[in-house]
Amino acid sequence: MSKFKIKAFFAQLLALILAAPMIAWAGGGGGPFDAGTFSAIKVGLVVFAIFSAWLIKDKMGLPLPKLIQAPLLWIICYIGFRVILQPPIPFSLLAMYMGVCTVCIFLYCSLTRPSWEEFSHPIAVMLREDHATAKMSRYATFLIIPGLIAAQTYNQMLPKFGEPIELRTVHPAPPASINVHKKLVTLQTAENPFRIGDDGNYLKVGDEQKYFGGNAWTGDVPKFLQEVQQGGVVFFGTAGCFFCHGDNLDGKGPFSFAFNPIPANFADPGTISQLQETFVFWRVAKGGPDLSREAFPWASAMPPWEKHLTTNEIWKVIIFEYWHTGFFPRTWG
Amino acid sequence: MLNLSGEKKKKVGAWLLLSMIGMLVLLPFAPAVVMAAEEAAVEEAKEPEKAKDVFYKEEGEFGIVSGPPAGELVYPDDYGSYGDFQSRTIIWISNQQHLYFGSFVLAVPMFVWVMELIGILQYEKNPKVGKKFDDLAHEMMKISLTAYSVTAILGGILIFSFLALYPGFFRYLSGIFKPVMHIYALLFILESGVLYVYYYGWDSMNDGNGDWKWSHLSLGTILNAVGIVLMVMANTWVSFMMSPAGVDAEGRFLGDIWKVMHNPLMVPVVVHRILGNAAFGGGVVAAYASFKFLSAKTLEEKAHYDWMSYIAMFMGILALIPLPFAGYWLMREIYAYRQQMGITLMGGLLAWVFIMQATMIATLFITVNYYLFQAMGRMPGSERYYKYFKVLLAILVVATIAWLTPHTLVMTPAELKAMGGAQHPVVGNYGVMSAKNTAINTMITTTVVSFIIYQRSNFKLTVPWAWKGNIFLAMLILGAEVNILFLGVYGYFIPANVRIGLSVPQVASTLSVLFIGVAVNTKMLKGAESIGEIRWGKMSVRGAYALFMLAVAFTWTMAVMGYLRSSVRLHWHVNEILRDNSPWAFTNPLGYAGNINSLNVLLFWTMLLFVFWLSALAGAGKKKVEAEEAAAAAVGKAVPAGSH
């Protein structure tokens, strides 16, 4: 390597090290940017970073050796998932993502024979050669790697005081049938009695789309929207589901963080839109106390609403929830 | 006196043999006919009691009670145990091992059949290539033969374990399936007979592409047919346990064995299993070839096994590609059968297992791509494409991340609060079906693109419309991917039942890249100028390790999914009919299941390496002679030419 190249290389390294906290700041919570969304600016920054890396590498002819590229890429991925992606993701997910990245970075380095040679050659030199630099780096490596493992072990053995993680089953299998107000409801076949179209017939799932988006609370509305209205009254009035499930049905009501697990977020595509209407009926009617066996540890604060609402009110509030979120119940047909 | 010329003699011999085998095929059904007649005679004597079928509930779907009720099993009378050891784990392991070997010996003849056919068809044009394929088929069959006896031994162990540990359950199940049990046994004998004739007759029946060879191939057809029937029959027991039919609510057999066998989940499970077996068989043969590749001493040997591993991998992937779709269909049928069962699987207790499975599937696709990249290292001219590899890898990484993101996250309450809810506003969106479908279709499309590059990597296009073809290909791939992405996003805005329908156009995009893309590419390669022959045997060792990885990932996936399919019955031996009253009726925790699965995978591979070693032992003596002959022959033998 010429002197110029070495200098240029260190300049790049320095720039990247400096750039990392900048990107972190720009993407992190607070500041002028919205923390909740992956804003266009963040995406722009990342694209810009990649573009400049490409410029330096391919256009200015200053390639980074693979052995440096690999850890650098790893750090960039880490910063991306740890800092730029907001709100912060839990450790389990981070570990999974970084696992994928680690494997794929290794694959990247060994994609072709030339790149593998470029990657493995310095390692081979470090392990084999007998001159001073190789020796030093050998000693350093054999100190650092066990050191890292030791630190990791120490960290793991440290007693921790946080609440333990529980693998919960959020959607346990429902019973085949339930008894609500002395009536047997078979979950496989029951239908919501208030899914009624303009013609007074049962409204097939999906057909209610035409009622979405409008205002259910003005003057003369079709039959279906009247049911929605009454469901809304249950949600915000009679039962007050919104205290827990939130004004926007996003699970962020004023009480929500008092509970563990927190109340369900209906606006998420993974809750009510994945469930059959009868499943939701079961959950509303029976609440936390009647969760099935596998829903260990049965800690849900969801009240058993059959004790406070009529069967009809329960069906109506369900109509309301789907209407408000714009989701459709799951059907198989 | 009849005077037959050599040719004629052969022909007559071939036909005689074939018709004998045809008769043998019918043999197992003879007792069934006799039994049916007997049953009919008995039935007339007494007033029959009628009862309703648990599944076939239509009007008039009453059957005649022809068996005892399932009753309640009692512990410890109806169960056996070996000390404190979990009986179920013993059954689990013996079942899984039997299944591994069973599916291996079922899948290999399928490949062998295809290889032999190619060999015969090629014989006319290019006898050398024809012979190459034929030898390949023969060698595969050799591995399968040793594995076959292992399968039988493991089957014996399985039955003894059932009799010793679950006698009550076994009594009930064999009572229900009594009418077909012996058919199974007889078919097994037939299978062995055909197998031995097929294998040992290989050389003596080999007359290039003459009648004898064709009869030999027909033997292969029969072997496969019998194998598949065997598999279907074993499958009916398993699917009966999941979704019983043909019995009444008390579990009494209603006289129609077909209804028992044709239970609601039987067909989708069978389809899924056949495809799975084929993919698995390809993987294992590829692993065998890589094993030989890595241990080969000469370049010639290396070249042979390099080529063999490529072919086996290719066949495996062909079966792998439709597998996810068969899986979706099975899932759908499960939901239709019992909503509870579907939720237990996908959203409930066992949802975490799907994350393990997803990891394995992602591993499979990434490995296949990686293997293709490594394999291109031995194609002169592929340097032109090196720069695209990392782009393809990057796409795979993004798709994998979307594919793996679970919907329910494992987190501490503090992390939950920091995230502001149970779902993440960005990555939470990857947890649902729309994202998963998009990810898997993208992965498959990327794999096809890698393959298209592989196909042309040592050629220079000469057709005059090459540039047009290239533009067309680019548009096709880009258009398909845009369509996949668009439908994926659109899926968030429509009802679930319509969303399922979206997977059809998504799959159609993928398949059109696969079929049209590869077809156009092949057409473009007509008369293309070769930059250099494929240097078989010069693949990097990483490619061979990748294939090993692929095969191990296959076995792990099978173990995980087997655990899943079996656990979904929860505390039932036979769903809703026969309850598991043993102390082991609980669902094992994931950690335990993971350990047992790994143990199963390890055990299987240990035994398999033994089988490989055995077949190498058999070949060693022969090879020595060949080597001596070769030494006597001319020097500087050419490396076998590549073809694919």
PDB file of all heavy atoms in Angstrom, chain B residues 244-258:
ATOM      1  N   PRO B 244     -59.616 -37.098  13.077  1.00  0.00           N
ATOM      2  CA  PRO B 244     -60.262 -38.384  12.829  1.00  0.00           C
ATOM      3  C   PRO B 244     -61.543 -38.262  12.003  1.00  0.00           C
ATOM      4  O   PRO B 244     -62.240 -37.240  12.073  1.00  0.00           O
ATOM      5  CB  PRO B 244     -60.575 -38.901  14.231  1.00  0.00           C
ATOM      6  CG  PRO B 244     -60.543 -37.703  15.108  1.00  0.00           C
ATOM      7  CD  PRO B 244     -59.598 -36.735  14.490  1.00  0.00           C
ATOM      8  N   ALA B 245     -61.821 -39.312  11.245  1.00  0.00           N
ATOM      9  CA  ALA B 245     -63.067 -39.416  10.501  1.00  0.00           C
ATOM     10  C   ALA B 245     -63.374 -40.898  10.383  1.00  0.00           C
ATOM     11  O   ALA B 245     -62.511 -41.731  10.674  1.00  0.00           O
ATOM     12  CB  ALA B 245     -62.926 -38.794   9.120  1.00  0.00           C
ATOM     13  N   GLY B 246     -64.582 -41.220   9.973  1.00  0.00           N
ATOM     14  CA  GLY B 246     -64.943 -42.615   9.802  1.00  0.00           C
ATOM     15  C   GLY B 246     -65.206 -43.332  11.110  1.00  0.00           C
ATOM     16  O   GLY B 246     -65.376 -44.547  11.133  1.00  0.00           O
ATOM     17  N   VAL B 247     -65.229 -42.575  12.221  1.00  0.00           N
ATOM     18  CA  VAL B 247     -65.594 -43.158  13.513  1.00  0.00           C
ATOM     19  C   VAL B 247     -66.686 -42.274  14.123  1.00  0.00           C
ATOM     20  O   VAL B 247     -66.867 -41.146  13.697  1.00  0.00           O
ATOM     21  CB  VAL B 247     -64.392 -43.214  14.475  1.00  0.00           C
ATOM     22  CG1 VAL B 247     -63.348 -44.190  13.991  1.00  0.00           C
ATOM     23  CG2 VAL B 247     -63.781 -41.843  14.649  1.00  0.00           C
ATOM     24  N   ASP B 248     -67.400 -42.804  15.114  1.00  0.00           N
ATOM     25  CA  ASP B 248     -68.398 -41.951  15.757  1.00  0.00           C
ATOM     26  C   ASP B 248     -67.750 -41.233  16.941  1.00  0.00           C
ATOM     27  O   ASP B 248     -66.557 -41.378  17.196  1.00  0.00           O
ATOM     28  CB  ASP B 248     -69.645 -42.752  16.165  1.00  0.00           C
ATOM     29  CG  ASP B 248     -69.357 -43.701  17.319  1.00  0.00           C
ATOM     30  OD1 ASP B 248     -68.172 -43.806  17.712  1.00  0.00           O
ATOM     31  OD2 ASP B 248     -70.304 -44.324  17.807  1.00  0.00           O
ATOM     32  N   ALA B 249     -68.548 -40.456  17.657  1.00  0.00           N
ATOM     33  CA  ALA B 249     -67.982 -39.613  18.708  1.00  0.00           C
ATOM     34  C   ALA B 249     -67.299 -40.431  19.801  1.00  0.00           C
ATOM     35  O   ALA B 249     -66.434 -39.929  20.513  1.00  0.00           O
ATOM     36  CB  ALA B 249     -69.059 -38.725  19.302  1.00  0.00           C
ATOM     37  N   GLU B 250     -67.707 -41.679  19.939  1.00  0.00           N
ATOM     38  CA  GLU B 250     -67.050 -42.520  20.946  1.00  0.00           C
ATOM     39  C   GLU B 250     -65.817 -43.209  20.384  1.00  0.00           C
ATOM     40  O   GLU B 250     -65.163 -43.984  21.086  1.00  0.00           O
ATOM     41  CB  GLU B 250     -68.016 -43.600  21.429  1.00  0.00           C
ATOM     42  CG  GLU B 250     -69.107 -43.072  22.332  1.00  0.00           C
ATOM     43  CD  GLU B 250     -70.174 -44.134  22.561  1.00  0.00           C
ATOM     44  OE1 GLU B 250     -69.803 -45.290  22.854  1.00  0.00           O
ATOM     45  OE2 GLU B 250     -71.358 -43.817  22.403  1.00  0.00           O
ATOM     46  N   GLY B 251     -65.575 -42.994  19.119  1.00  0.00           N
ATOM     47  CA  GLY B 251     -64.402 -43.599  18.518  1.00  0.00           C
ATOM     48  C   GLY B 251     -64.661 -44.972  17.953  1.00  0.00           C
ATOM     49  O   GLY B 251     -63.726 -45.716  17.659  1.00  0.00           O
ATOM     50  N   ARG B 252     -65.938 -45.333  17.782  1.00  0.00           N
ATOM     51  CA  ARG B 252     -66.222 -46.667  17.232  1.00  0.00           C
ATOM     52  C   ARG B 252     -66.094 -46.622  15.714  1.00  0.00           C
ATOM     53  O   ARG B 252     -66.636 -45.724  15.060  1.00  0.00           O
ATOM     54  CB  ARG B 252     -67.627 -47.113  17.630  1.00  0.00           C
ATOM     55  CG  ARG B 252     -67.747 -47.336  19.118  1.00  0.00           C
ATOM     56  CD  ARG B 252     -69.109 -47.823  19.501  1.00  0.00           C
ATOM     57  NE  ARG B 252     -70.144 -46.837  19.188  1.00  0.00           N
ATOM     58  CZ  ARG B 252     -71.430 -47.009  19.503  1.00  0.00           C
ATOM     59  NH1 ARG B 252     -71.822 -48.112  20.107  1.00  0.00           N
ATOM     60  NH2 ARG B 252     -72.311 -46.093  19.199  1.00  0.00           N
ATOM     61  N   PHE B 253     -65.421 -47.591  15.184  1.00  0.00           N
ATOM     62  CA  PHE B 253     -65.219 -47.684  13.733  1.00  0.00           C
ATOM     63  C   PHE B 253     -66.557 -47.921  13.049  1.00  0.00           C
ATOM     64  O   PHE B 253     -67.352 -48.733  13.496  1.00  0.00           O
ATOM     65  CB  PHE B 253     -64.250 -48.839  13.456  1.00  0.00           C
ATOM     66  CG  PHE B 253     -63.994 -49.086  12.002  1.00  0.00           C
ATOM     67  CD1 PHE B 253     -63.716 -48.045  11.142  1.00  0.00           C
ATOM     68  CD2 PHE B 253     -64.021 -50.380  11.497  1.00  0.00           C
ATOM     69  CE1 PHE B 253     -63.470 -48.274   9.804  1.00  0.00           C
ATOM     70  CE2 PHE B 253     -63.779 -50.619  10.157  1.00  0.00           C
ATOM     71  CZ  PHE B 253     -63.504 -49.560   9.310  1.00  0.00           C
ATOM     72  N   LEU B 254     -66.808 -47.179  11.951  1.00  0.00           N
ATOM     73  CA  LEU B 254     -68.119 -47.256  11.321  1.00  0.00           C
ATOM     74  C   LEU B 254     -68.123 -48.096  10.050  1.00  0.00           C
ATOM     75  O   LEU B 254     -69.022 -47.985   9.225  1.00  0.00           O
ATOM     76  CB  LEU B 254     -68.647 -45.856  11.023  1.00  0.00           C
ATOM     77  CG  LEU B 254     -68.916 -45.034  12.286  1.00  0.00           C
ATOM     78  CD1 LEU B 254     -69.479 -43.678  11.924  1.00  0.00           C
ATOM     79  CD2 LEU B 254     -69.874 -45.764  13.217  1.00  0.00           C
ATOM     80  N   GLY B 255     -67.109 -48.907   9.879  1.00  0.00           N
ATOM     81  CA  GLY B 255     -67.182 -49.886   8.808  1.00  0.00           C
ATOM     82  C   GLY B 255     -66.609 -49.460   7.482  1.00  0.00           C
ATOM     83  O   GLY B 255     -66.374 -50.297   6.623  1.00  0.00           O
ATOM     84  N   ASP B 256     -66.377 -48.165   7.292  1.00  0.00           N
ATOM     85  CA  ASP B 256     -65.859 -47.752   5.999  1.00  0.00           C
ATOM     86  C   ASP B 256     -64.420 -47.278   6.165  1.00  0.00           C
ATOM     87  O   ASP B 256     -64.168 -46.150   6.583  1.00  0.00           O
ATOM     88  CB  ASP B 256     -66.733 -46.622   5.438  1.00  0.00           C
ATOM     89  CG  ASP B 256     -66.330 -46.274   4.018  1.00  0.00           C
ATOM     90  OD1 ASP B 256     -65.247 -46.715   3.592  1.00  0.00           O
ATOM     91  OD2 ASP B 256     -67.103 -45.558   3.346  1.00  0.00           O
ATOM     92  N   ILE B 257     -63.490 -48.144   5.816  1.00  0.00           N
ATOM     93  CA  ILE B 257     -62.079 -47.814   6.060  1.00  0.00           C
ATOM     94  C   ILE B 257     -61.633 -46.644   5.189  1.00  0.00           C
ATOM     95  O   ILE B 257     -60.759 -45.866   5.564  1.00  0.00           O
ATOM     96  CB  ILE B 257     -61.180 -49.054   5.839  1.00  0.00           C
ATOM     97  CG1 ILE B 257     -59.746 -48.780   6.309  1.00  0.00           C
ATOM     98  CG2 ILE B 257     -61.179 -49.504   4.413  1.00  0.00           C
ATOM     99  CD1 ILE B 257     -59.585 -48.598   7.769  1.00  0.00           C
ATOM    100  N   TRP B 258     -62.262 -46.500   4.039  1.00  0.00           N
ATOM    101  CA  TRP B 258     -61.869 -45.393   3.164  1.00  0.00           C
ATOM    102  C   TRP B 258     -62.119 -44.042   3.822  1.00  0.00           C
ATOM    103  O   TRP B 258     -61.326 -43.120   3.720  1.00  0.00           O
ATOM    104  CB  TRP B 258     -62.590 -45.507   1.827  1.00  0.00           C
ATOM    105  CG  TRP B 258     -62.297 -44.300   0.969  1.00  0.00           C
ATOM    106  CD1 TRP B 258     -63.194 -43.397   0.507  1.00  0.00           C
ATOM    107  CD2 TRP B 258     -61.003 -43.867   0.510  1.00  0.00           C
ATOM    108  NE1 TRP B 258     -62.556 -42.426  -0.208  1.00  0.00           N
ATOM    109  CE2 TRP B 258     -61.204 -42.682  -0.222  1.00  0.00           C
ATOM    110  CE3 TRP B 258     -59.705 -44.352   0.660  1.00  0.00           C
ATOM    111  CZ2 TRP B 258     -60.162 -41.978  -0.812  1.00  0.00           C
ATOM    112  CZ3 TRP B 258     -58.663 -43.638   0.079  1.00  0.00           C
ATOM    113  CH2 TRP B 258     -58.888 -42.478  -0.650  1.00  0.00           C
TER     114      TRP B 258
END
